[in-house]
Amino acid sequence: MDNVERYRQFVKQILTEHAQIATTTTDTVKAELIFDTEHDHYQLAYVGWQGDKRIFGPVMHFDIQDGKIWIQYNGTEESLAERLVEMGVPTNDIVIGFHSSFKRQFTRYAVG
């Protein structure tokens, strides 16, 4: 299995685990997994209602671009980059996409 396929599996695993945790919180707000394997966009979003309030928004968003995993959004307390490292992804294949390229140079991860 090539790196990109492994990375797809890792990202799907992380998102699926978080979706399973989220489904235990409420019956009116659903965790939706969005896997676009053609364009390599992966997301977990919450969709539903809490009383009269509409709930809709991303929880996590990953892209795979040029053989690297881009963490585009992380609305959790988990360090997704560290989790990917624990799964075997080298730090130079992880980009913290929600930081500017200037700020990324000061992390231990890829700039882009």
Side-chain angles (χ1 to χ4, degrees):
M1 180 183 319
D2 71 340
N3 279 346
V4 171
E5 187 56 39
R6 282 182 46 240
Y7 295 171
R8 287 178 181 134
Q9 295 306 315
F10 293 159
V11 166
K12 288 178 186 178
Q13 179 182 336
I14 291 169
L15 292 171
T16 301
E17 288 172 4
H18 277 272
Q20 290 170 344
I21 294 167
T23 57
T24 61
T25 58
T26 178
D27 290 332
T28 59
V29 177
K30 303 294 180 195
E32 288 192 359
L33 292 168
I34 304 160
F35 297 158
D36 176 358
T37 55
E38 182 178 341
H39 300 101
D40 279 321
H41 304 295
Y42 305 90
Q43 189 174 95
L44 169 63
Y46 290 150
V47 179
W49 291 88
Q50 282 183 332
D52 292 339
K53 183 179 178 188
R54 176 71 172 156
I55 304 297
F56 179 83
V59 180
M60 292 181 209
H61 181 115
F62 296 88
D63 290 328
I64 299 174
Q65 301 173 11
D66 300 320
K68 296 181 187 301
I69 299 173
W70 284 68
I71 303 170
Q72 301 289 19
Y73 181 74
N74 180 10
T76 72
E77 294 181 9
E78 181 177 7
S79 172
L80 298 176
E82 285 303 309
R83 175 78 187 280
L84 290 166
V85 169
E86 291 168 5
M87 296 172 100
V89 179
T91 57
N92 61 338
D93 279 355
I94 300 169
V95 179
I96 311 298
F98 54 84
H99 289 315
S100 70
S101 58
F102 175 77
K103 189 173 180 180
R104 283 185 230 143
Q105 69 180 322
F106 302 112
T107 71
R108 66 186 209 134
Y109 304 103
V111 174

